[in-house]
C-alpha cells in the first residue's frame, strides 16, 4: 500500500500538474495497479497451501521479483519521468556509476525516502505474511478470492481517454508487446513496396485565381472544446469565436495526429503522420516525412513569387524540428534563439511567449518582408501543458487560453491595421487536441472525434463562404487549399481534400492516429456518421470495427503501404532523457 500511495503521489506531481488536474489520475492508477496487487495476493494464496521449506520459496521468489519490479518502476519514474521498460533496464543496468549519480540525490530527498521505505516495508510484510500464515487452506481460499476480485476490478475497469496512458498503466501491462512496433514480414514488406500507387487524384487548374498571401497560425493545444462556438463546453476563446462568426470556420475539423510533430507533418506535408516501427520510443519524430505529398510544393510557390517563412518562439533543436522545417523548403526559419527575443523571459522549450511571437512577426512584416506574396507558418508554445498564464503565477487552463485568445485577437488587429486582409488569408488552428483527459461531455458532443477535434478559423478573402462550412475536414486538406490560393494547380484524393478556395472539397476519408491506443487509427468515411478503428500490427494489420463500405479496403492498403515506406526508427528516446538527467545532475554537482 505504501508503494501504491507513493506511485499515486508521483503521478500527481508529474502528469497531474502537467494536466492542471492534480487528482484526475488517482483512480486510473489505483485500478491499473490492482492487477499486480492481485498477483501478489495470488502468490500469498499459493504460499499458504505449501508447507514451510523449499517449495514455498518459489512463490516467495516470484513475489520478491514483482515487488522489486514495481519499486524500480516507481524509482525510474521519480528520477527520469518515464516508466520502466525491461529492455531499458538490461540496457542501462550495467552503467552503475552514472545511474548512482542521479539515484543518490533522489534518495536523499523525501520522495526517495518514501520510495525506499515503502519498498523495505513491502518486502518485510511479504516475508512475514508468507512464513507466518496459519490455517493454510482457509487463508489460501480467502486470499484467492480477494485476488480474483482485485484482478477482475482491474481488468474490467473502464479505460481512460488520455494520450499519456503510460502515466497510469501498471508496469506489467506497460511492458507487454505493442502491435505498432511489429514489423512486416520480409515477404509482406516487399509486396507492399511493389504495389503501384492506385490513389486516383482530381486536379484543378487555378491560374485564373488571384494569388493571395497566406498565414497559417498553429496554436499549441488549441482544442474544439475550448471554443463556445465550436464545442459549447468552455468559453476560453471568446475573441477568436467572434472573429470566426464574421469570417469562415469549419465546425468539424480534425487533427491527424496527437502531438505537435504530427500536426506539422499533416499540415505541411499533406500526409497522415502514421508511426514508423519504433516511433514512440524514438526522438526521430519527423523521420520519413522529409518531403511534402507535392514534392515541388515550395519550388512552385517560390517560382510564383512567394516567400516562405516559419516562426516560433520554441526551441528549434527539440526533436530536430528546425532542420526538418528547412529541409521542407522554407526560405526563412527562426526560433527561440532569434535576437528579437533576447530580453523576453523564457518558459518551457525556451519559449518567449505568444505575444513576443506576434510582435516579432509584425516586426518582420514591417521591416524585413520583401513586399511580395508570402506563405508564413507561425507555431505558438505558451499554451503547452502545464497551463500557465505568462508573467503571472496563475496556473489554470481556462485563464491560459483566454490569455492566448487575447494575443491572437491583438495579432489579427495588427494585421488588419497593416491592410493585410486586402489580399491575405489567415488560418487559425490547433496542432492537436490538448493532452488532457477527455471529458464525458466531449464524448457526448463529439463521439470518437473528441480525441481529434481542433478549431479551424479562416479570415480574409479565402474563397470560402462566410460562417460555418459543412463537411468533415482534416489537417491534410490544407496544402491543396494553399496551392489553390496561390493560383497553382492543386490535386485532391481520397485522403486529402482542399479546404480553401471556391472549389473547397472534403476528402473521402479522415484519419487520426490515436494517442490513447497508439496501435490504432480512427477512420471516418464521407457520408457515414460512424467512425471505425483499424489496428496496426504488422502483417495482421486489420479492422477492429469493420466499416460498412467495401471501398474502405483502400484505407487498409494505404496505411500498410505508407508504413512500409517508413524505415524502422532507433530506440533512442530513453537515451535522450537519461542524458538530459545526467547532464542536469552534473551541472548541479559542479555548482556545489
Amino acid at each position: 500500500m505504501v508503494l501504491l500511495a507513493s506511485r499515486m503521489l508521483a503521478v500527481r506531481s508529474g502528469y497531474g500538474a502537467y494536466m492542471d488536474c492534480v487528482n484526475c489520475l488517482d483512480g486510473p492508477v489505483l485500478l491499473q495497479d490492482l492487477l499486480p496487487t492481485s498477483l501478489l495476493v495470488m502468490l500469498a494464496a499459493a504460499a499458504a497451501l505449501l508447507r514451510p521449506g523449499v517449495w514455498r520459496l518459489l512463490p516467495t521468489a516470484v513475489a520478491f521479483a514483482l515487488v522489486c519490479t514495481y519499486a524500480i518502476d516507481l524509482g525510474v519514474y521519480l528520477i527520469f519521468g518515464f516508466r520502466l521498460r525491461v529492455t531499458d533496464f538490461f540496457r542501462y543496468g550495467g552503467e552503475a556509476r552514472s545511474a548512482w549519480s542521479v539515484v543518490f540525490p533522489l534518495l536523499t530527498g523525501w520522495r526517495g525516502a518514501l520510495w525506499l521505505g515503502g519498498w523495505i516495508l513491502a518486502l518485510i510484510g511479504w516475508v512475514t505474511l508468507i512464513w507466518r500464515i496459519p490455517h493454510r487452506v482457509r487463508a489460501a481460499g480467502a486470499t484467492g478470492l480477494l485476488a480474483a476480485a482485485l484482478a477482475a476490478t482491474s481488468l474490467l475497469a473502464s479505460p481512460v481517454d488520455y494520450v499519456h496512458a503510460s502515466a497510469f498503466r501498471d508496469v506489467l501491462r506497460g511492458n507487454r508487446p505493442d502491435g505498432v512496433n511489429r514489423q512486416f514480414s520480409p515477404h509482406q514488406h516487399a509486396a507492399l513496396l511493389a504495389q503501384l500507387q492506385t490513389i486516383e487524384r482530381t486536379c484543378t487548374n487555378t491560374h485564373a485565381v488571384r494569388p493571395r498571401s497566406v498565414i497559417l497560425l498553429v496554436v499549441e493545444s488549441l482544442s474544439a472544446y475550448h471554443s463556445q462556438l465550436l464545442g459549447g463546453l468552455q468559453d476560453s476563446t471568446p475573441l477568436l469565436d467572434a472573429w470566426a462568426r464574421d469570417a469562415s470556420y469549419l465546425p468539424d475539423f480534425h487533427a491527424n495526429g496527437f502531438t505537435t510533430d504530427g500536426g506539422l507533418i499533416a499540415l505541411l506535408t499533406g500526409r497522415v503522420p502514421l508511426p514508423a516501427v519504433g516511433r514512440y520510443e524514438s526522438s526521430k519524430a519527423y523521420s520519413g516525412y522529409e518531403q511534402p505529398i507535392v514534392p515541388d510544393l515550395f519550388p512552385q510557390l517560390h517560382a510564383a513569387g512567394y516567400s516562405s517563412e516559419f516562426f516560433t518562439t520554441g526551441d528549434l533543436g527539440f526533436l530536430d524540428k528546425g532542420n526538418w522545417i528547412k529541409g521542407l523548403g522554407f526560405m526563412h526559419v527562426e526560433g527561440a534563439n532569434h535576437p528579437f527575443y533576447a530580453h523576453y523571459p523564457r518558459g518551457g522549450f525556451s519559449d518567449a511567449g505568444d505575444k513576443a511571437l506576434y510582435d516579432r512577426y509584425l516586426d518582420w512584416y514591417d521591416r524585413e518582408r520583401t513586399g511580395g506574396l508570402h506563405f508564413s507558418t507561425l507555431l505558438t508554445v505558451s499554451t503547452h501543458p502545464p497551463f500557465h498564464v505568462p508573467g503571472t503565477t496563475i496556473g489554470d487552463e481556462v485563464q491560459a487560453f483566454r490569455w492566448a485568445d487575447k494575443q491572437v485577437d491583438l495579432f489579427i488587429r495588427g494585421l488588419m491595421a497593416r491592410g493585410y486582409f486586402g489580399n491575405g488569408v489567415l488560418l487559425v488552428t490547433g496542432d492537436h487536441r490538448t493532452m488532457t483527459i477527455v471529458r464525458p461531455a466531449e464524448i457526448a458532443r463529439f463521439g470518437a472525434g473528441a480525441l481529434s477535434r481542433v478549431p479551424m478559423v479562416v479570415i480574409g478573402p479565402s474563397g470560402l463562404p462566410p460562417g460555418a462550412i459543412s463537411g468533415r475536414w482534416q489537417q491534410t486538406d490544407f496544402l491543396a487549399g494553399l496551392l489553390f490560393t496561390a493560383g497553382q494547380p492543386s490535386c485532391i484524393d481520397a485522403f486529402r481534400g482542399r479546404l480553401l478556395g471556391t472549389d473547397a472539397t472534403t476528402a473521402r476519408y479522415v484519419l487520426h492516429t490515436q494517442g490513447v491506443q497508439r496501435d490504432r487509427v480512427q477512420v471516418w468515411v464521407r457520408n457515414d456518421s460512424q467512425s471505425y478503428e483499424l489496428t496496426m500490427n504488422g502483417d495482421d494489420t486489420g479492422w477492429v470495427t469493420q466499416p460498412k463500405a467495401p471501398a474502405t479496403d483502400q484505407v487498409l492498403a494505404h496505411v500498410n503501404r505508407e508504413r512500409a515506406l517508413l524505415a524502422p526508427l532507433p530506440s533512442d528516446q530513453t537515451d535522450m532523457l537519461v542524458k538530459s538527467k545526467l547532464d542536469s545532475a552534473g551541472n548541479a554537482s559542479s555548482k556545489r
Side-chain angles (χ1 to χ4, degrees):
M1 293 305 294
V2 175
L3 284 175
L4 177 56
S6 299
R7 202 165 94 75
M8 289 175 64
L9 289 173
V11 172
R12 276 188 173 196
S13 63
Y15 286 96
Y18 176 87
M19 293 189 301
D20 190 30
C21 185
V22 174
N23 61 351
C24 280
L25 293 177
D26 288 357
V29 169
L30 176 61
L31 290 172
Q32 285 274 315
D33 282 12
L34 287 180
L35 181 61
T37 303
S38 70
L39 292 179
L40 280 173
V41 176
M42 287 178 187
L43 290 168
L49 289 171
L50 300 172
R51 294 183 180 278
V54 66
W55 289 108
R56 192 174 283 184
L57 288 176
L58 181 59
T60 304
V62 175
F64 179 80
L66 183 58
V67 173
C68 287
T69 301
Y70 191 102
I72 293 170
D73 172 58
L74 177 58
V76 167
Y77 178 78
L78 289 171
I79 298 169
F80 297 109
F82 57 87
R83 303 297 299 283
L84 171 68
R85 299 288 294 183
V86 173
T87 52
D88 289 337
F89 179 75
F90 287 108
R91 185 176 176 189
Y92 295 103
E95 300 180 15
R97 187 172 183 180
S98 294
W100 182 248
S101 69
V102 290
V103 171
F104 181 75
L106 170 73
L107 294 180
T108 57
W110 70 268
R111 291 192 301 171
L114 187 62
W115 170 64
L116 187 60
W119 190 7
I120 293 172
L121 287 174
L123 291 176
I124 292 174
W126 176 251
V127 172
T128 302
L129 178 66
I130 285 183
W131 292 92
R132 298 290 182 183
I133 291 178
H135 306 294
R136 296 196 305 275
V137 176
R138 282 183 296 171
T143 52
L145 288 173
L146 175 60
L150 293 175
T153 303
S154 179
L155 294 173
L156 297 178
S158 298
V160 176
D161 290 323
Y162 179 46
V163 297
H164 289 305
S166 61
F168 58 82
R169 188 172 290 146
D170 69 82
V171 67
L172 300 179
R173 279 177 282 205
N175 276 278
R176 67 185 177 185
D178 194 336
V180 76
N181 289 325
R182 182 183 172 193
Q183 298 191 40
F184 293 108
S185 65
H187 173 75
Q188 175 76 348
H189 189 261
L192 289 169
L193 293 181
Q195 287 179 3
L196 296 176
Q197 276 282 20
T198 57
I199 302 177
E200 183 179 348
R201 294 185 175 179
T202 303
C203 298
T204 300
N205 191 323
T206 56
H207 289 303
V209 173
R210 179 188 177 188
R212 304 185 187 282
S213 293
V214 175
I215 299 174
L216 173 64
L217 172 56
V218 184
V219 180
E220 169 64 45
S221 298
L222 182 64
S223 310
Y225 76 83
H226 290 133
S227 164
Q228 185 69 29
L229 175 67
L230 300 176
L233 303 178
Q234 278 189 14
D235 191 17
S236 300
T237 59
L239 300 175
L240 180 60
D241 285 358
W243 286 107
R245 290 186 181 94
D246 290 336
S248 306
Y249 63 96
L250 282 56
D252 194 355
F253 187 79
H254 296 256
N256 294 105
F258 63 94
T259 57
T260 299
D261 52 273
L264 291 179
I265 287 169
L267 288 164
L268 299 180
T269 73
R271 299 169 63 189
V272 177
L274 295 164
V277 170
R279 164 63 190 94
Y280 299 126
E281 297 174 1
S282 175
S283 65
K284 312 300 180 188
Y286 300 97
S287 181
Y289 294 97
E290 291 83 4
Q291 197 173 64
I293 194 70
V294 182
D296 60 347
L297 170 71
F298 283 93
Q300 274 192 64
L301 291 175
H302 298 158
Y306 279 76
S307 64
S308 55
E309 304 82 30
F310 184 93
F311 294 81
T312 184
T313 48
D315 181 5
L316 287 174
F318 182 69
L319 301 180
D320 206 27
K321 181 190 302 166
N323 286 331
W324 176 73
I325 292 292
K326 292 173 185 175
L328 288 178
F330 278 91
M331 298 170 64
H332 177 82
V333 180
E334 63 177 58
N337 292 331
H338 192 276
F340 184 86
Y341 307 121
H343 302 295
Y344 284 85
R346 302 304 175 108
F349 304 98
S350 298
D351 172 45
D354 293 1
K355 183 180 185 305
L357 174 65
Y358 302 140
D359 288 347
R360 166 57 190 146
Y361 184 80
L362 294 175
D363 176 72
W364 171 86
Y365 190 91
D366 292 338
R367 301 195 303 135
E368 300 173 44
R369 180 174 57 97
T370 57
L373 297 165
H374 58 274
F375 164 50
S376 302
T377 298
L378 281 69
L379 175 65
T380 75
V381 181
S382 294
T383 42
H384 194 288
F387 305 111
H388 182 80
V389 179
T392 74
T393 58
I394 300 172
D396 176 77
E397 180 180 358
V398 172
Q399 294 302 318
F401 276 96
R402 283 190 175 175
W403 178 88
D405 181 53
K406 182 179 180 181
Q407 309 316 312
V408 171
D409 175 69
L410 292 173
F411 179 56
I412 295 172
R413 293 180 184 279
L415 291 173
M416 184 172 287
R418 289 162 173 80
Y420 171 78
F421 294 109
N423 194 44
V425 179
L426 170 69
L427 299 91
V428 184
T429 189
D431 50 354
H432 56 82
R433 184 204 173 273
T434 187
M435 292 182 177
T436 56
I437 291 177
V438 177
R439 296 141 171 89
E442 280 184 90
I443 298 293
R445 175 70 185 265
F446 300 128
L451 291 162
S452 57
R453 294 282 279 269
V454 296
M456 172 57 83
V457 177
V458 184
I459 304 172
S462 65
L464 297 174
I469 310 296
S470 63
R472 188 179 293 121
W473 305 83
Q474 59 189 327
Q475 290 172 331
T476 56
D477 300 339
F478 169 68
L479 283 192
L482 171 64
L483 286 170
F484 189 98
T485 305
Q488 301 298 303
S490 66
C491 301
I492 63 172
D493 58 41
F495 301 94
R496 283 161 284 270
R498 183 188 299 110
L499 65 73
L500 292 175
T502 54
D503 198 21
T505 309
T506 60
R508 182 172 187 183
Y509 306 112
V510 169
L511 273 60
H512 170 70
T513 55
Q514 290 196 32
V516 175
Q517 294 177 284
R518 298 192 178 185
D519 60 346
R520 303 288 177 90
V521 179
Q522 199 78 30
V523 180
W524 289 266
V525 185
R526 185 194 288 157
N527 300 326
D528 189 341
S529 59
Q530 280 188 266
S531 68
Y532 305 94
E533 279 188 334
L534 64 81
T535 179
M536 297 173 284
N537 190 21
D539 292 3
D540 296 323
T541 296
W543 292 103
V544 178
T545 50
Q546 182 67 45
K548 301 172 186 176
T552 48
D553 290 343
Q554 185 181 22
V555 176
L556 198 59
H558 178 71
V559 168
N560 277 335
R561 190 172 190 280
E562 288 290 295
R563 294 196 72 220
L565 291 169
L566 299 170
L569 298 180
S571 179
D572 66 349
Q573 193 171 65
T574 303
D575 291 358
M576 180 179 69
L577 294 170
V578 169
K579 182 179 183 301
S580 173
K581 288 291 183 178
L582 292 175
D583 289 346
S584 298
N587 292 336
S589 177
S590 63
K591 288 178 180 178
R592 294 193 199 104

